[in-house]
């Protein structure tokens, strides 16, 4: 790992137990749809499911759905269907997604343990004065940290550039990119536990 990444980890250590303790809300027993109610307006159109099988419904309507799926686009859609680059109608594409609501930072470097990722998330929050709303264990190798986006895309770009310089996945900048649904069951059988939530 580059020296400045190691330095950032050392500067702001954050064990997973401490992160859990620091969480303003405890949502271990909440259903995914209940957590989404805390993050979105009732009429926000949310694209949820999986890469190959997804649906777009309002946050309110997802409450009555039997299952949400393991993935969600963090930014609500502006319309139910848009046109993909190939001209096909879809609820999951750049044309359908609306204004940015959250920026999700994911460190998927296999050499970074969860506690190191947590320390980098804390470093980002503190050094950028960023508004951290949620952290989800992907049920695999990474943590997904949800930050409230600014209305100023220039500021969002600056923040994401800092995150990427620390090893975050640059694909998460795409407004239509899927992230992990909090407390949903992943296809590998693991729960994508919501470790931290500030609504």
């Amino acid at each position: 790992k580059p020296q400045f990444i190691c330095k950032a980890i050392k500067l702001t250590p954050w064990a997973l137990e401490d992160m859990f303790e620091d969480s303003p809300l405890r949502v271990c027993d909440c259903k995914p749809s209940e957590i989404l109610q805390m993050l979105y307006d009732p009429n926000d159109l949310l694209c949820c499911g999986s890469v190959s099988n997804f649906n777009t419904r309002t946050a309110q309507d997802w409450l009555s759905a039997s299952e949400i799926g393991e993935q969600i686009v963090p930014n609500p859609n502006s319309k139910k269907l848009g046109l993909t680059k190939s001209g096909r109608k879809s609820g999951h594409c750049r044309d359908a997604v609306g204004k940015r609501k959250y920026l999700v930072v994911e460190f998927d470097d296999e050499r970074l343990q969860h506690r190191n990722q947590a320390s980098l998330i804390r470093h980002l929050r503190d050094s950028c004065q960023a508004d951290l709303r949620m952290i989800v264990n992907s049920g695999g190798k990474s943590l997904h940290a949800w930050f409230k986006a600014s209305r100023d895309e220039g500021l969002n770009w600056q923040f994401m550039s800092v995150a990427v310089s620390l090893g975050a996945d640059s694909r998460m900048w795409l407004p239509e990119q899927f992230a992990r649904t909090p407390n949903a069951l992943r296809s590998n059988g693991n729960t994508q536990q919501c470790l931290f939530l500030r609504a």
Side-chain angles (χ1 to χ4, degrees):
K1 293 191 287 285
Q3 205 171 354
F4 67 93
I5 293 180
C6 296
K7 190 178 174 186
I9 289 169
K10 278 183 188 159
L11 272 174
T12 49
W14 208 18
L16 289 193
E17 310 80 62
D18 295 334
M19 174 199 288
F20 194 72
E21 281 300 313
D22 291 345
S23 177
L25 294 165
R26 296 291 159 85
V27 289
C28 310
D29 301 325
C30 288
K31 293 194 299 187
S33 57
E34 292 170 337
I35 296 175
L36 297 185
Q37 302 305 305
M38 302 179 208
L39 293 166
Y40 295 97
D41 297 328
N43 293 323
D44 278 348
L45 270 177
L46 305 179
C47 178
C48 305
S50 66
V51 173
S52 56
N53 185 20
F54 48 83
N55 236 310
T56 306
R57 297 178 182 161
T58 65
Q60 179 100 36
D61 286 345
W62 277 116
L63 266 177
S64 55
S66 56
E67 200 181 316
I68 283 192
E70 61 183 308
Q71 294 185 305
I72 178 173
V73 177
N75 304 303
N77 277 16
S78 59
K79 50 191 173 185
K80 197 138 188 175
L81 294 170
L83 288 178
T84 64
K85 286 175 184 169
S86 60
R88 194 171 46 84
K89 282 187 177 178
S90 173
H92 177 235
C93 59
R94 179 75 53 89
D95 183 44
V97 80
K99 284 182 182 166
R100 201 185 292 278
K101 190 159 192 162
Y102 294 103
L103 281 163
V104 177
V105 171
E106 177 193 16
F107 296 99
D108 57 0
D109 183 337
E110 289 183 10
R111 295 166 300 173
L112 282 176
Q113 295 170 312
H114 280 172
R115 61 185 168 82
N116 296 145
Q117 294 178 37
S119 300
L120 288 172
I121 290 165
R122 184 181 172 193
H123 179 76
L124 260 181
R125 180 193 70 182
D126 296 354
S127 63
C128 298
Q129 314 255 285
D131 188 356
L132 177 63
R133 292 301 179 90
M134 180 166 71
I135 301 171
V136 179
N137 184 333
S138 72
K141 60 190 175 185
S142 64
L143 300 178
H144 283 209
W146 291 45
F147 292 88
K148 193 87 172 82
S150 166
R151 288 180 182 172
D152 181 341
E153 272 289 78
L155 289 177
N156 290 331
W157 175 253
Q158 281 176 19
F159 171 76
M160 204 63 178
S161 300
V162 174
V164 169
S165 76
L166 290 169
D169 182 0
S170 59
R171 277 194 65 78
M172 298 309 287
W173 168 254
L174 303 176
E176 73 279 11
Q177 184 71 16
F178 275 120
R180 293 285 160 188
T181 309
N183 281 9
L185 200 63
R186 188 168 167 151
S187 51
N188 64 9
N190 294 338
T191 299
Q192 298 169 171
Q193 190 185 4
C194 181
L195 302 169
F196 179 99
L197 183 68
R198 192 172 75 76

